[in-house]
Amino acid sequence: MGYAQAQETPIAFIGGTIIPVSGPPIENGILLVQHGKIQAVGRAATVRLSSEVTRIDVSGKVLMPGLVDTHSHVGEAAGGDGSAALQPDVRVLDALNVWSPSLGRARAGGITTVNVMPGSGHLLSGQTAYLKLRKGNAIQELLLCKDLLNEVCGGMKMANGTNPMRDNGTFPGTRSRSAAMARQLFIKAQAYQRKIKEAAGDATKMPERDLQMEALVQVLEGKRTVHFHTHRADDILTAIRIGQEFGFKPVLQHVSEGWKVAKEIAASGFPASVIVIDSPGGKLEAMDMRFETGAALVKEGALMGYHTDDYITDSRLFLRSAALGMRAGLNREKALESVTLAGAKMLDLDHRLGTLESGKDADFIVLSGDPMSVYTRIEQTWIEGKKVFDLSNPEDRKYATGAYGVLVGDVVHTHHDGDEDGHR
Amino acid sequence: MIKHLLFLCVVVGLPNVLSAQKYALKADVVHTVSGPSIQNGLLLVKDGKIEWVGAAKDKAIPKDYKTYTAKTITPGLVDGHSVVGLAGALNQPHDQDQLETSGAPIAPELRALDAYNPREILVSYLREMGVTTIHTGHGPGALISGQTLVAKTIGNSIQEAVVDSSSMLAITLGSGISSAFKSPATRSKALAMLRQELLKAQSYLRKMEQPEIGKRPERDLKLETLAQLLKGELKALVTVDRAHDIQAAIRLAKEFNLKMVLDSASEAYLVMDEIKSSGVELVLHPTMKRAAGESENLTFETAKILNEAGIAFSLQSGFEGYVPKTRVVLFEAAIAAAYGLPYDKALAAITINPAKILGISHRVGSLEIGKDADVVLFDGDPFEYTTHVCTVFVNGKVVSETCR
C-alpha cells in the first residue's frame, strides 16, 4: 500500500497550542511529522528543525490527536441480514463503500480512526472493521491491518436488550432467550476450538473450516474484541456476565444506563463506549439515558470513551459528545481522552494512536480554538502525515457544512424491523 | 388563531396557581431580545409578569423580592414546531399520537388538544432545558394530519398549559407522506387532492354564510376546520423539504389565499427569492437534523444563508421517529450560531420569531414589562456546550432549579 511512506518531506507545524493528550497542553509548540509518523512534539525551544523541513504556521490554532470513533456506521455497510440472529461470519469489509460521502463527513469531523460496525437488530451482526479514513479506492487501503486474509481486521458486534428482539421465532423475543442463544453459540465455538487444539497441527484431524466458528475462536482467544451494544443497566450486567463466562473482554457499547451500574462496570475492567443523545427515550432501552454517564464511569475508574454511532449522531459533531460529557461533570482531561486515547485503547491501538507522541502515527487535527467550544471549527484533518480534509478547500468544505447533492445516499441501510430504523 | 374561551376563562380564574412570589433576577448580561442586551441587568418579576427590566444600577431591589443571580438571562425559549406531548418518549404504539394512519389522509378535524399529554417526560425535559413554550401537535406524514396547539411546558392539564388551543393545520407535501396511505402516492395527486378538498371547503363556507339558518348545511368538522384555514383563522403549516415542493406549497397558498408557514424547508436556500416575495413564513428544520431522504440536501449554514438574504425564520425541535425523540431548540440554535448565524439572530430564532409566527408575541418571546415572566438563567453563554441551564421560570414561577 505504501500510504505511510508517501509523505517523505518532514513537515513541522509551528506556533500553535498542542494538546498531546498524553500530557498538558503545550503553548507555542512544534509538531514534526515524517514518513507518516510523529518525529517530535514539544515546545518550540525544544524541537530542532533542519533546513529541509517544510514549516506550516499554525499560530492561534489548536492541534490535537485525530479522533478515534469506536462505533460508527459510516460507509453504508449493512452486515448481517434477516436470516439469523447470530451471524459471526459476516464481514463489514466485504460491503463498505469507500466512496461514501459519509466518510467525507467523518474526515470533516476530525475522525481519523473508526470502528465501522455492521448494522443493528441482531444478537451478533458480524465482524466490524477498524479503518483509518485515508483517501483510498479499496477497503484494504483503509484497513488498519495489512493482510486481510490472515490478520484480524476488526472486532465483533453483539447486542442485547430490545435491539435484537423480533417476533419471527428466528430471533429472540425475550432477554433470557437472547442470552441463551448467544451462550449456546459460544459453547459450540469452544468445542470447535477444542478440536483444533486436539488436532495439534495435524491437518487430517482438523475440523472442517467454518467461518462462523473461526471468527468466534478469535474472540475466545482474545484476538478479536466484542463490541457489545447494551443500554439498560441489567443488560449491561448481562453483557459483562457473558464476557466473563467465556473469557473475553467486551467493549460495552452505548451504555445508556451506565450511571446506574458504574461501579459494576469499573469492577469488571471492561471499557465503556458511550453514546450521547440530545434527549432520553426514542426506544425503551434508552429511557434513562443521561449526559452524566461518562462522568459517573470515570469517577468509578472505568475506561470511558464516546462514539458517534453515525448516523445516529453526526460524525462532524463528535467533539460535541465529549463537551456535553463535560457539561455533566467530566473533567477536561478525561473529555479530551474520551474521543482519542480511550478509543485507541478500546481498539487495542493505543501503541499507534490516541496521543501526539514521538513514534506514533501522524494523525492529528487542526482546530480554530478550544475543542470543547461550540464555536470551534475543525480546519484540517491529517492522517499519517497526509491532509485528508481542509476547510479552506471548497470541495472539502461541502462535507463540513452540507451542500446540494453532496451527502446524497450516505445513510446506512441496515435496519430491518421495529420502527423506521429497525430498532425497538 | 382560535382562542377557546373556555380555556381562557379557566386560566384567568386561577391567578394564584401562577405565582404569589416576587423575584429579582440579576445577570452579567440580560438578553431582552426586544432591545439591546443589558450589561449588569436586572429583571423584576411580580404576579407572573415582568414588572421591570433594565440596568441593575437604575433600580433598587425591593426588600421582599427573592434574588437569583446568573451569568446570562434570556427569555423563555419558544420551540417553533415540535411533536412533544403527542409523540411520547417510549416510542411505543400506545404513546404515539402525532399521526393517525387508520383513517383518511386528509384529517383536519384532529385536534392536538385531544391528545396532548402535559405529563409526558419530554415536556419536562424540554422545560428543564429552558424551553417554556412549544408549538406542538400533529406531525408530518399525512396530507393533512391535524391541528397544532401552543402550550407552556407546565401544568397537569391542557387547560393549565394551553396558550392557543388551535394554532395551525399540519400539512405534508413531497414524499414524506406515510406509505400507510394508499393515496396520495405521487406529488401531483397530493396537490390535486388538497385543492379539491379546499374547493369543497370554499363551497361549504359559502353555504354556511347564508343568512337563513335552515339553508345552512349540517356541521362537518373536516370542512369547518378547512373553512377556518380559508378564512385565515388557522395557518397552514406545510412540512416540505424539496425546492420544487416548496414552490408547490407557495402556489397553493396563492391559489387559496392561505396564511402559510413553511416547515423544515431543507432546500429553502435554492428558492429564497420566491419565499421572500410570497410572504410565507418559515420554521426551519433543526440545524442538526440528519441529511437523509427528503432532507438530504440540508446544510448547517442554511440559517446563516437565509439571514443574509433577509428572510426571518424560527428554529424548531422537529419530528424524530427514533433517537433523539426530541431535539432541543437551544442546541439547534447553538449550532446555527456556530455555523455563521449572528448570535442575536440565533437567539431570536428560538424566542421572538416563533412567538410572532404563533401570534403570541404580546405574551412571550422577549423580556419586556407586562409580558409573561418566562425567563431562563444560565451560568455562561447559553449556546456553549458546557454552559448549564440553571433556573427556569414560567409565568413567574420557578419550574426548574437544577443546573443542567
Side-chain angles (χ1 to χ4, degrees), chain B residues 205-325:
Chain B
L205 187 57
R206 266 195 310 273
K207 288 177 195 158
M208 283 305 253
E209 283 169 350
Q210 285 186 108
E212 209 176 318
I213 292 171
K215 286 190 175 168
R216 292 180 189 170
E218 288 292 322
R219 274 185 70 194
D220 179 311
L221 289 179
K222 202 176 275 235
L223 293 173
E224 191 172 277
T225 311
L226 289 175
Q228 288 164 349
L229 181 71
L230 291 170
K231 285 194 282 185
E233 294 171 355
L234 284 174
K235 288 182 180 180
L237 179 72
V238 184
T239 302
V240 67
D241 283 296
R242 300 287 186 191
H244 61 301
D245 293 328
I246 293 173
Q247 291 167 327
I250 292 173
R251 207 158 51 234
L252 188 73
K254 281 183 182 156
E255 181 178 357
F256 292 94
N257 194 26
L258 304 178
K259 286 184 183 164
M260 186 174 284
V261 179
L262 297 177
D263 173 61
S264 194
S266 296
E267 295 177 11
Y269 58 87
L270 297 176
V271 286
M272 292 192 291
D273 289 344
E274 283 158 276
I275 290 173
K276 222 173 159 177
S277 63
S278 70
V280 296
E281 296 173 294
L282 177 59
V283 182
L284 188 63
H285 59 80
T287 320
M288 292 184 278
K289 185 175 179 180
R290 297 181 184 104
E294 292 276 281
S295 294
E296 64 189 4
N297 292 313
L298 62 76
T299 90
F300 286 160
E301 293 187 321
T302 303
K304 172 199 169 201
I305 294 165
L306 293 172
N307 179 62
E308 284 168 356
I311 297 173
F313 59 90
S314 303
L315 286 169
Q316 60 169 310
S317 59
F319 170 75
E320 294 289 343
Y322 186 45
V323 295
K325 193 58 187 169

Side-chain angles (χ1 to χ4, degrees), chain A residues 22-340:
Chain A
S22 49
I26 303 161
E27 301 294 334
N28 189 19
I30 287 184
L31 178 73
L32 180 65
V33 305
Q34 190 181 18
H35 305 309
K37 297 283 181 187
I38 295 168
Q39 304 299 333
V41 57
R43 284 188 296 115
T46 65
V47 180
R48 240 171 229 221
L49 301 177
S50 66
S51 58
E52 62 173 14
V53 173
T54 303
R55 289 162 166 79
I56 297 177
D57 183 5
V58 287
S59 301
K61 309 296 180 191
V62 173
L63 273 63
M64 68 177 284
L67 308 184
V68 180
D69 184 357
T70 50
H71 185 157
S72 175
H73 297 285
V74 293
E76 303 160 31
D81 63 10
S83 64
L86 293 140
Q87 304 185 44
D89 47 335
V90 166
R91 302 186 300 190
V92 155
L93 67 86
D94 291 316
L96 193 122
N97 174 11
V98 296
W99 298 278
S100 170
S102 57
L103 270 56
R105 275 194 299 107
R107 292 182 191 110
I111 295 168
T112 53
T113 299
V114 60
N115 174 29
V116 179
M117 300 273 250
S120 214
H122 298 76
L123 285 172
L124 196 160
S125 57
Q127 300 172 29
T128 81
Y130 296 171
L131 306 180
K132 283 282 186 88
L133 291 178
R134 302 167 188 131
K135 286 188 170 173
N137 281 334
I139 186 70
Q140 55 268 33
E141 294 174 38
L142 274 68
L143 285 166
L144 266 140
C145 66
K146 287 205 172 68
D147 178 356
L148 65 83
L149 277 182
N150 297 301
E151 283 181 66
V152 176
C153 295
M156 184 69 80
K157 164 97 180 283
M158 291 184 70
N160 65 12
T162 55
N163 181 271
M165 289 189 200
R166 301 190 203 181
D167 300 326
N168 62 10
T170 308
F171 282 67
T174 62
R175 286 176 158 81
S176 292
R177 182 155 180 248
S178 292
M181 286 172 77
R183 291 176 63 231
Q184 190 64 59
L185 194 68
F186 275 111
I187 287 166
K188 192 177 161 195
Q190 283 176 328
Y192 188 84
Q193 186 185 27
R194 210 163 41 240
K195 279 181 200 156
I196 294 172
K197 208 173 168 187
E198 284 163 6
D202 183 345
T204 61
K205 289 180 181 166
M206 281 285 280
E208 285 293 319
R209 280 195 66 192
D210 181 321
L211 291 178
Q212 294 207 345
M213 291 300 111
E214 284 179 359
L216 290 178
V217 168
Q218 290 169 345
V219 170
L220 294 173
E221 290 174 345
K223 294 175 182 163
R224 181 182 291 281
T225 301
V226 167
H227 295 273
F228 213 129
H229 162 125
T230 182
H231 283 277
R232 223 170 69 175
D234 56 321
D235 293 328
I236 293 169
L237 298 182
T238 299
I240 290 173
R241 198 162 58 242
I242 290 175
Q244 286 169 341
E245 178 179 359
F246 295 97
F248 63 84
K249 194 181 165 192
V251 175
L252 305 169
Q253 293 275 354
H254 301 324
V255 206
S256 297
E257 290 188 357
W259 60 274
K260 292 182 181 174
V261 285
K263 270 200 177 79
E264 289 81 355
I265 292 171
S268 75
F270 299 159
S273 176
V274 177
I275 190 165
V276 177
I277 300 287
D278 284 20
S279 63
K283 53 179 178 175
L284 293 173
E285 58 186 10
M287 286 304 292
D288 263 351
M289 172 177 275
R290 291 187 181 180
F291 292 163
E292 282 81 3
T293 292
L297 288 164
V298 165
K299 188 173 164 236
E300 296 300 336
L303 174 60
M304 191 286 299
Y306 292 105
H307 63 257
T308 64
D309 198 10
D310 190 304
Y311 71 105
I312 298 298
T313 72
D314 195 318
S315 290
R316 295 172 294 186
L317 298 167
F318 188 26
L319 281 169
R320 179 174 183 263
S321 295
L324 290 177
M326 229 176 117
R327 180 192 192 110
L330 195 63
N331 69 44
R332 173 173 289 270
E333 288 66 36
K334 289 294 180 184
L336 290 165
E337 268 186 47
S338 72
V339 286
T340 55

